[in-house]
Amino acid sequence: MQVTKFGGPEVLSVIERPAPEPRAGEVLVKMAAVDVLFLDTKLRQGWGRDYFDMNPPYVPGDGVAGDVVALGEGVDPAWLGKTVVASTENSGTCAELVAVPTGELVVIPDGLDEQAAAVLLHDAVTALQLVDHAAVRPGEKVLVTAAAGGAASIIVQLTAAAGAHVIGAARGDEKLGRVRALGAEPVDYGAPDWAERVRDLTGGVDVLFDGAGGHYGRDAFRAVGDGGRVIAYGASDGDFADIDTTEAGRRGVTVTGLLGIQHATRERRRDLLRKALAEAAAGRITPAIGGSFPLEEVADAHAAIERREISGRAVLRP
């Protein structure tokens, strides 16, 4: 699948190319699952060109899960036939066959399918980093916005398991039901006074994980108690929340953006991924798969994400 030019979902089209040949140190993965990120829809529109070198025509996608079907020069023969998941740094995974460096490969454990692994590749690794940074303690009150989403749903599970009282903000009965099933107290942030009700209920939350941004993030800030911690990591509402830093300073609230959290090395990210895959295989983490689309219907997946129709992560399959 190729982005022919910057624009709406309609700029995604099917192309055919010769099967790639893995180079030295690479393997060829037969794609079984690719997760579609909100970021993918923004890049397709031409957003973020100062940070991402994406110039049409290009094949989108960063993560891929599937079987190793060919080896490049110098690759350990033991990789052949392994079922793996890997990141390619925003390059070309919306394809039937994907060449991947062996240093990016992580074996998917028994008991976990490729779609779940593809979702965990981004969502669980991000969630683990954010929750570790926030250092959530038992008994603390935690508010998670866009709580039925990919990384947010993992944050809900991790903080609830850590003994926190978790409140999950979402919209609509389906998403609110999912938040409740994940172990959080749901709140509908479609109500105009929702943040005030959360603050009245809790006396002010200790930690806010904001993956919504925009006006939802600004509203959520009002529910944070004095001395609280805000982790702003997403912008599913279109823009990152513009939080009043003067007000935050006056109230002793620390605000940390995703770029302010130390980026893990690739090896550290693989270690986090292995941990997440093991936890999911054991049933202790459940990834949020909101919709599964055939590869050639990636435009429909993009459109569904932009219309907020999917609770969780969209996944592509062959």
Side-chain angles (χ1 to χ4, degrees), residues 3 41 60 71 130-131 164 200 202 215 217 222 242 247 308 313:
V3 175
T41 70
L71 308 177
L130 297 176
V131 172
D200 290 343
T202 62
H215 71 277
R222 300 202 302 269
D242 184 17
E247 174 68 8
R308 307 292 193 270
R313 181 72 65 204

Side-chain angles (χ1 to χ4, degrees), residues 96-217:
E96 293 177 324
L97 295 166
V98 182
V100 181
T102 56
E104 299 296 335
L105 301 175
V106 173
V107 174
I108 300 174
D110 293 339
L112 196 67
D113 65 32
E114 292 94 337
Q115 291 195 23
V119 170
L120 291 165
L121 171 66
H122 294 108
D123 290 343
V125 170
T126 298
L128 284 165
Q129 286 184 279
L130 297 176
V131 172
D132 284 350
H133 180 84
V136 175
R137 298 181 291 273
E140 287 195 310
K141 296 158 288 188
V142 173
L143 173 61
V144 183
T145 63
S153 67
I154 303 294
I155 291 171
V156 168
Q157 294 172 74
L158 292 173
T159 52
H165 172 202
V166 187
I167 300 167
R171 293 190 67 176
D173 291 342
E174 179 184 353
K175 293 181 179 180
L176 291 168
R178 173 164 177 75
V179 169
R180 184 180 290 107
L182 291 171
E185 181 177 353
V187 59
D188 190 338
Y189 59 10
D193 61 344
W194 73 272
E196 285 73 16
R197 288 193 288 111
V198 170
R199 187 176 179 90
D200 290 343
L201 175 68
T202 62
V205 298
D206 300 295
V207 185
L208 164 63
F209 292 96
D210 177 36
H215 71 277
Y216 291 128

Side-chain angles (χ1 to χ4, degrees), residues 23-278:
R23 296 177 294 186
E26 292 183 339
V27 303
L28 194 64
V29 175
K30 184 178 181 182
M31 186 275 281
V34 171
D35 62 333
V36 184
L37 307 178
F38 179 72
L39 175 62
D40 293 325
T41 70
K42 299 292 286 183
L43 295 176
R44 188 208 68 233
Q45 297 169 28
W47 176 88
R49 299 187 69 186
D50 291 340
Y51 306 99
F52 299 93
D53 184 22
M54 308 296 284
N55 297 301
Y58 71 88
V59 176
D62 169 69
V64 63
D67 292 338
V68 175
V69 294
L71 308 177
E73 182 182 352
V75 174
D76 185 343
W79 280 114
L80 192 62
K82 295 287 189 184
T83 304
V84 299
V85 61
S87 170
T88 63
E89 301 296 325
N90 293 304
S91 176
T93 61
C94 288
E96 293 177 324
L97 295 166
V98 182
V100 181
T102 56
E104 299 296 335
L105 301 175
V106 173
V107 174
I108 300 174
D110 293 339
L112 196 67
D113 65 32
E114 292 94 337
Q115 291 195 23
V119 170
L120 291 165
L121 171 66
H122 294 108
D123 290 343
V125 170
T126 298
L128 284 165
Q129 286 184 279
L130 297 176
V131 172
D132 284 350
H133 180 84
V136 175
R137 298 181 291 273
E140 287 195 310
K141 296 158 288 188
V142 173
L143 173 61
V144 183
T145 63
S153 67
I154 303 294
I155 291 171
V156 168
Q157 294 172 74
L158 292 173
T159 52
H165 172 202
V166 187
I167 300 167
R171 293 190 67 176
D173 291 342
E174 179 184 353
K175 293 181 179 180
L176 291 168
R178 173 164 177 75
V179 169
R180 184 180 290 107
L182 291 171
E185 181 177 353
V187 59
D188 190 338
Y189 59 10
D193 61 344
W194 73 272
E196 285 73 16
R197 288 193 288 111
V198 170
R199 187 176 179 90
D200 290 343
L201 175 68
T202 62
V205 298
D206 300 295
V207 185
L208 164 63
F209 292 96
D210 177 36
H215 71 277
Y216 291 128
R218 290 191 295 273
D219 289 346
F221 176 67
R222 300 202 302 269
V224 179
D226 292 355
R229 289 112 63 203
V230 175
I231 311 295
Y233 69 94
S236 63
D237 192 38
D239 297 290
F240 287 94
D242 184 17
I243 292 174
D244 186 336
T245 54
T246 301
E247 174 68 8
R250 185 185 66 79
R251 292 172 46 202
V253 175
T254 60
V255 181
T256 308
L258 185 60
L259 296 179
I261 296 174
Q262 184 174 358
H263 289 291
T265 64
R266 287 189 174 184
E267 184 55 43
R268 173 60 177 159
R269 289 183 64 84
R270 287 195 297 276
D271 286 343
L272 290 171
L273 176 57
R274 292 185 188 99
K275 176 182 178 180
L277 296 175

